[in-house]
Amino acid sequence: MATVAFIGLGNMGGPMALNLVKAGHTVKVFDLSQDAMHAVAEQGAIPCPSACGAAAGSEVVITMLPAGKHVKGLLLGEDGLLETVASDTLIIDSSTIDAGSAREVASAAKAKGLDFVDAPVSGGTAGAQAGTLTFICGGSDTAFERAKPILDAMGANIFHAGEAGAGQVAKICNNMLLSVLMAGTCEALQLGMDNGLDPKVLSEIMKVSSGGNWTLDKYNPCPGVMETVPASNGYQGGFMVDLMCKDLGLAMETATQSASSTPMGALATSLYRLHQGQGNGSRDFSSLFEQFTKK
Ligand code: NAD
């Protein structure tokens, strides 16, 4: 078992840190929010007065922060964690950030002789709580092999996508595709309903036909078709429109940097931003269905 510093104890980081505690690791935690720290300290994590304090004496440092600027702010620069940690520390960043920032941190870590893995996750808060997240990692073989047993305590699927930054690229490719599938599923279901079809019947047909996809199998956006999805619960819980917009922004940035053509992703980005601008940012992303319903 290892001593792990966990920085960033929000909706995802809090339950992830607790799964490390449950697995028997010693977990030293820090968050700017005292409430977030107390919540995990009550269940066995060790609260620390600063990120440096948590990292001191830890073999592994995990960060789970909102965006690239937070990750770079914490790790880089004269006062950054990379300057203070022991030379054999493994750094794992599980935040979803732009691949450029991930590569920047990776090369700064390499210059210090530190192993670094970008390890963004898929699976949402439910996966974080259940310890069933998918980790999509970028980094050297050595860094990945060191990270895997730690990530095993928090996830069900641990992938090595390639070199540093590859985890972030794979994650935003997946989420861009998901946004496109969701938008297409919403419009197909509404087209059927506008022409007299029952969405449950249409969903069953499309699920086993050539239009079948994950959103139809697991996350139907039409209220009442599936019982346990956000669509049947007022689009509460699940994966927020704000987070989908963030990930699509990262996908569009990456596409610009690599001069890639992503017309479907660009259209989905516009649709989700429109939806977000109409006050839906904190609702589940399947609420995009309402853009297609006739008022
Ligand atoms: P969150 O806003 O709930 O938590 C972020 C935490 O980081 C907060 O508690 C905040 O106080 C803390 N923080 C910020 N700067 C800090 C600093 N310098 N030092 C210490 N603590 C700091 O966010 P979240 O939902 O937990 O998401 C975290 C990351 O995971 C994001 O990059 C997000 O895109 C990604 N993600 C989220 C989900 C989801 O469903 N929530 C799913 C997959 C990936």
Side-chain angles (χ1 to χ4, degrees), residues 33-269:
S33 152
Q34 291 291 323
D35 289 349
M37 263 207 293
H38 286 145
V40 295
E42 275 174 6
Q43 297 183 62
I46 303 163
C48 296
S50 66
C52 283
S58 296
E59 295 136 85
V60 183
V61 174
I62 302 178
T63 48
M64 191 55 171
L65 301 171
K69 64 179 179 191
H70 304 98
V71 175
K72 288 202 285 185
L74 184 79
L75 295 175
L76 304 183
E78 278 178 22
D79 302 329
L81 268 193
L82 296 187
E83 291 293 332
T84 67
V85 295
S87 59
D88 56 353
T89 311
L90 166 67
I91 316 278
I92 302 173
D93 177 40
S94 278
S95 328
T96 301
I97 67 173
D98 60 292
S101 293
R103 290 188 195 111
E104 202 180 317
V105 174
S107 72
K110 193 174 177 189
K112 297 263 155 222
L114 298 164
D115 281 330
F116 173 83
V117 176
D118 51 291
V121 300
S122 177
T125 51
Q129 281 156 18
T132 56
L133 290 169
T134 295
F135 284 88
I136 312 167
C137 304
S140 68
D141 289 344
T142 315
F144 176 73
E145 288 310 321
R146 282 185 73 191
K148 192 169 177 308
I150 302 291
L151 302 181
D152 275 335
M154 301 178 282
N157 298 295
I158 323 289
F159 290 106
H160 190 190
E163 288 301 314
Q168 299 294 353
V169 175
K171 154 112 196 195
I172 50 119
C173 287
N174 177 72
N175 280 21
M176 185 182 80
L177 177 58
L178 172 63
S179 73
V180 170
L181 291 172
M182 182 56 86
T185 299
C186 290
E187 74 180 54
L189 282 171
Q190 190 59 46
L191 173 65
M193 289 161 74
D194 289 345
N195 286 278
L197 291 192
D198 177 336
K200 280 191 183 172
V201 173
L202 179 56
S203 294
E204 286 309 309
I205 294 167
M206 294 196 293
K207 260 163 78 170
V208 294
S209 302
S210 45
N213 69 75
W214 184 88
T215 70
L216 283 170
D217 287 341
K218 301 254 170 48
Y219 218 93
N220 199 296
C222 177
V225 173
M226 280 179 170
E227 273 178 24
T228 53
V229 293
S232 297
N233 184 31
Y235 297 107
Q236 297 308 301
F239 184 54
M240 285 194 297
V241 168
D242 280 344
L243 286 174
M244 180 55 96
C245 285
K246 174 194 165 187
D247 290 356
L248 283 168
L250 293 175
M252 294 303 100
E253 226 175 275
T254 305
T256 302
Q257 281 159 13
S258 56
S260 305
S261 176
T262 52
M264 307 302 287
L267 184 51
T269 305

